[in-house]
Amino acid sequence: MTITSDPQKKETLGRLKSFGLTELWQIALLLPNGWDDLTNPVEDFSIKMPQGEPRLIKGKLTSPPKVRFKDGTPRLTGYLSDPRGDKIGFSLFGDSKEFQKEIKENSDCVYLYGQIDIFDGSYWLKSPSLVEEKWVGRYRPRYPGKIGVINSDTVRDRIMRGLKNALPVAAEHLAKQLSTFGDRSELTSLVGLPNWSLESILTQAHVPRALDYGIKAQESLEYLAALGIIKSAQGNQSDKIIRRQIFLGDWKERAAAIPFELTDEQRQAIADAMDDIALNK
């Protein structure tokens, strides 16, 4: 998976600091909470598409989208057509100035990703987002945003710009922090990915080649994070973490001190890892 960056541009964290990041390499540890499947764009609008499913649609803008107001809220509507002339409508509520500008600039080849709806027997795309051509054929990561601070699209752009340089530093940090559990190859074997490197696990956790790669990579990183917090709770005395029925300490108190807010999945991974280690599995 190719990740591009501009070596001439000096990156700073900026608003990413709102996630608790203090150094640039830490962006490699700010994982997406899912991916948009952009691998198979729909170019024939006559095919059957289940209502409610997210889809990537490729078409030509039939005319400039129009804004109307419904109960005081602006609603943008427009249509894409396929090579046979079949159409799919799309609608977007709220401020759409930037959307209108971008879609007009690429009117002959538009990629929209949204949820399929059916209205009066015709397909509609609800709340679509414009997709850059570089993401077509790939899984596009979805990152959390901070209301009033930074939106999820900007988070993705910032992470993609700096990820290439952050990966080796983040991998070295993980290897050093978890060295008491083994070297790099032992760590990747521990999480069930013996033929992967720490860098490849981090890469696939952000921009996976396949969906199951991304899921497995994130599960592995959550387990490694659990080991790191357990090590911290034990005061780095890893020899105590090999005996049956040991006391592992209050990991929740330790977790509160790290510069990231744990997700529910990460908390569950920590709890599961602590149970396994306490039982010497």
Side-chain angles (χ1 to χ4, degrees):
M1 185 64 62
T2 301
I3 301 170
T4 59
S5 64
D6 182 358
Q8 302 300 319
K9 185 177 180 65
K10 185 177 180 180
E11 293 289 346
T12 59
L13 283 171
R15 287 173 290 171
L16 290 179
K17 291 179 180 179
S18 63
F19 292 97
L21 308 185
T22 58
E23 299 183 57
L24 278 169
W25 65 265
Q26 292 173 337
I27 64 173
L29 304 179
L30 181 57
L31 302 182
N33 49 28
W35 301 272
D36 297 327
D37 184 351
L38 309 178
T39 56
N40 295 297
V42 175
E43 301 182 49
D44 179 359
F45 300 167
S46 67
I47 67 171
K48 185 176 181 180
M49 292 180 280
Q51 187 173 11
E53 282 196 0
R55 286 295 176 92
L56 175 63
I57 304 296
K58 177 185 178 183
K60 181 178 180 179
L61 191 66
T62 61
S63 60
K66 296 181 179 180
V67 177
R68 294 182 175 88
F69 287 82
K70 183 177 181 180
D71 298 327
T73 301
R75 181 192 186 205
L76 178 76
T77 59
Y79 292 88
L80 297 183
S81 64
D82 67 8
R84 295 174 27 166
D86 291 329
K87 296 180 181 180
I88 286 183
F90 60 88
S91 58
L92 185 67
F93 286 91
D95 184 1
S96 59
K97 291 180 181 178
E98 191 64 29
F99 181 95
Q100 292 181 66
K101 178 183 176 182
E102 292 181 14
I103 199 171
K104 288 177 182 178
E105 290 175 353
N106 302 279
S107 59
D108 289 335
C109 182
V110 178
Y111 290 97
L112 291 182
Y113 181 78
Q115 191 177 62
I116 295 295
D117 196 10
I118 300 176
F119 180 73
D120 284 345
S122 299
Y123 287 125
W124 277 82
L125 205 60
K126 293 171 59 178
S127 302
S129 63
L130 282 161
V131 174
E132 296 176 272
E133 195 165 355
K134 67 180 181 180
W135 286 112
V136 177
R138 303 169 63 187
Y139 291 94
R140 184 179 66 176
R142 294 192 306 270
Y143 294 91
K146 291 280 188 178
I147 297 176
V149 179
I150 185 171
N151 64 44
S152 58
D153 288 343
T154 303
V155 173
R156 179 175 57 240
D157 291 343
R158 292 296 315 280
I159 289 178
M160 289 300 103
R161 286 209 307 262
L163 189 57
K164 181 178 180 180
N165 293 329
L167 288 170
V169 185
E172 179 63 27
H173 174 82
L174 288 175
K176 183 177 180 180
Q177 292 297 311
L178 299 174
S179 60
T180 52
F181 297 100
D183 59 21
R184 290 185 180 220
S185 62
E186 288 172 324
L187 289 174
T188 57
S189 294
L190 184 64
V191 296
L193 298 172
N195 297 319
W196 294 36
S197 66
L198 287 176
E199 285 189 39
S200 64
I201 290 176
L202 286 164
T203 300
Q204 294 301 311
H206 286 273
V207 281
R209 289 189 178 93
L211 195 57
D212 58 339
Y213 281 28
I215 294 171
K216 182 60 179 176
Q218 289 204 358
E219 289 175 346
S220 300
L221 290 172
E222 287 166 359
Y223 193 88
L224 292 177
L227 293 181
I229 291 175
I230 292 169
K231 174 185 174 183
S232 177
Q234 283 296 313
N236 297 332
Q237 298 180 44
S238 61
D239 59 317
K240 295 181 181 179
I241 307 181
I242 60 173
R243 299 201 308 270
R244 188 178 298 273
Q245 296 179 346
I246 60 175
F247 175 67
L248 295 175
D250 185 1
W251 67 267
K252 293 181 181 178
E253 182 179 342
R254 287 284 182 177
I258 64 174
F260 305 101
E261 182 177 347
L262 296 176
T263 64
D264 291 340
E265 291 81 5
Q266 289 171 326
R267 289 180 177 277
Q268 186 60 52
I270 294 170
D272 291 344
M274 291 185 71
D275 289 343
D276 289 348
I277 293 173
L279 295 174
N280 197 23
K281 289 185 178 181

